[in-house]
Amino acid sequence: MAAPPRVVFLKDGESRQEENLLREKGYLGEVLYVPVLVTKRTEGAWEDTTLDEYSAVVITSKRAVESLGTVKARRYWVVGKQTKEALLRHHKDDERSIEILGEESGTALSLGKTILSTPSEKGPLLWATSNDRRPDLTNLLSPSPVRLDVLLTYTTVPTPAATIPSAGCVVCYSKHAFTHPTLLRNLSPNTAIVTVGNTTAQSGENEGFKIHGVSTEPTPEGVVEQVLLCTR
């Protein structure tokens, strides 16, 4: 009997939640994690920022949480449960004193819609983000009464990894997997590509890749479901 195909997740493997779920479901194939981006904090980004001027800080990724450094706000809008969990770890000594909203949002765009549908949110808001952020949130809030200021707290650049090893399934979490100069360039035509979100799928198709599965929920459970469908 042939060994199950290798699965490669294009992200850092700090938590390995996806691998743990696959093992729980009996998957015996090799699982690898290959990061697509290298993240660097912007030194001094917070020095001239007064948090009291803002009603909340907007956090749309775990990398943004890491870029907070020692900064701690009292109120946050976040994208996704994993971002919320990272933020709670950041506030491990005072988590009961903070308010976190928007965790049900799967994207920055859906978070923006949630913000606009919350009558009590008058702003202004401060978005701690990176040089490669999508414009969706800014475009949505710009014409609204809720002011959104942007603070570049970290930058991202492609990882120097040359190519990924042969695999039966590759999971892509952002457009950067498809625009990376070498990462997917020697991919076998038999490799199934799973993306997290329709926007990432569209990015892959725009770069000429065939997408075999889309996890519409940005959760380990949703991703693993698609991986298992593509590796049967």
Side-chain angles (χ1 to χ4, degrees):
M1 180 181 295
R6 176 188 288 131
V7 176
V8 179
F9 295 95
L10 296 185
K11 60 178 292 189
D12 71 77
E14 181 181 356
S15 68
R16 306 191 81 85
Q17 288 178 289
E18 299 83 4
E19 180 178 10
N20 293 337
L21 284 171
L22 283 171
R23 300 307 183 207
E24 288 176 10
K25 295 180 180 296
Y27 192 78
L28 300 177
E30 184 181 5
V31 175
L32 297 178
Y33 286 82
V34 177
V36 175
L37 299 173
V38 176
T39 302
K40 298 180 180 180
R41 283 183 56 198
T42 304
E43 296 298 328
W46 294 95
E47 287 182 358
D48 299 321
T49 302
T50 304
L51 290 180
D52 291 342
E53 297 178 358
Y54 298 94
S55 68
V57 173
V58 177
I59 301 289
T60 53
S61 71
K62 291 193 295 183
R63 290 193 295 271
V65 176
E66 294 165 0
S67 75
L68 290 173
T70 60
V71 172
K72 292 185 176 182
R74 292 301 177 191
R75 190 166 179 268
Y76 298 90
W77 285 99
V78 303
V79 170
K81 293 181 179 179
Q82 292 187 59
T83 304
K84 178 182 178 179
E85 291 171 0
L87 198 54
L88 287 173
R89 290 193 294 272
H90 179 69
H91 280 272
K92 62 181 179 180
D93 297 325
D94 61 345
E95 63 178 63
R96 293 187 177 183
S97 65
I98 63 173
E99 182 181 10
I100 302 178
L101 305 166
E103 64 180 279
E104 299 83 6
S105 304
T107 64
L109 180 61
S110 63
L111 177 65
K113 293 177 180 177
T114 300
I115 291 172
L116 292 179
S117 65
T118 304
S120 61
E121 183 55 81
K122 307 297 182 183
L125 303 174
L126 181 64
W127 186 12
T129 186
S130 72
N131 56 312
D132 67 345
R133 66 194 179 281
R134 298 183 190 275
D136 302 1
L137 184 59
T138 303
N139 292 344
L140 180 66
L141 295 186
S142 291
S144 80
V146 181
R147 192 182 93 213
L148 177 70
D149 291 347
V150 174
L151 182 66
L152 298 182
T153 57
Y154 67 100
T155 58
T156 57
V157 295
T159 185
T163 57
I164 63 171
S166 60
C169 180
V170 173
V171 181
C172 302
Y173 289 79
S174 72
K175 64 179 180 181
H176 302 290
F178 300 109
T179 58
H180 191 284
T182 59
L183 202 56
L184 299 179
R185 298 308 158 185
N186 295 322
L187 202 64
S188 165
N190 296 323
T191 301
I193 297 178
V194 169
T195 68
V196 180
N198 290 313
T199 301
T200 304
Q202 186 62 58
S203 298
E205 291 173 348
N206 291 345
E207 293 293 326
F209 291 92
K210 180 180 179 180
I211 307 303
H212 300 81
V214 179
S215 174
T216 55
E217 293 293 329
T219 62
E221 293 80 6
V223 171
V224 165
E225 179 182 359
Q226 290 299 317
V227 169
L228 291 174
L229 287 173
C230 291
T231 53
R232 287 177 177 172

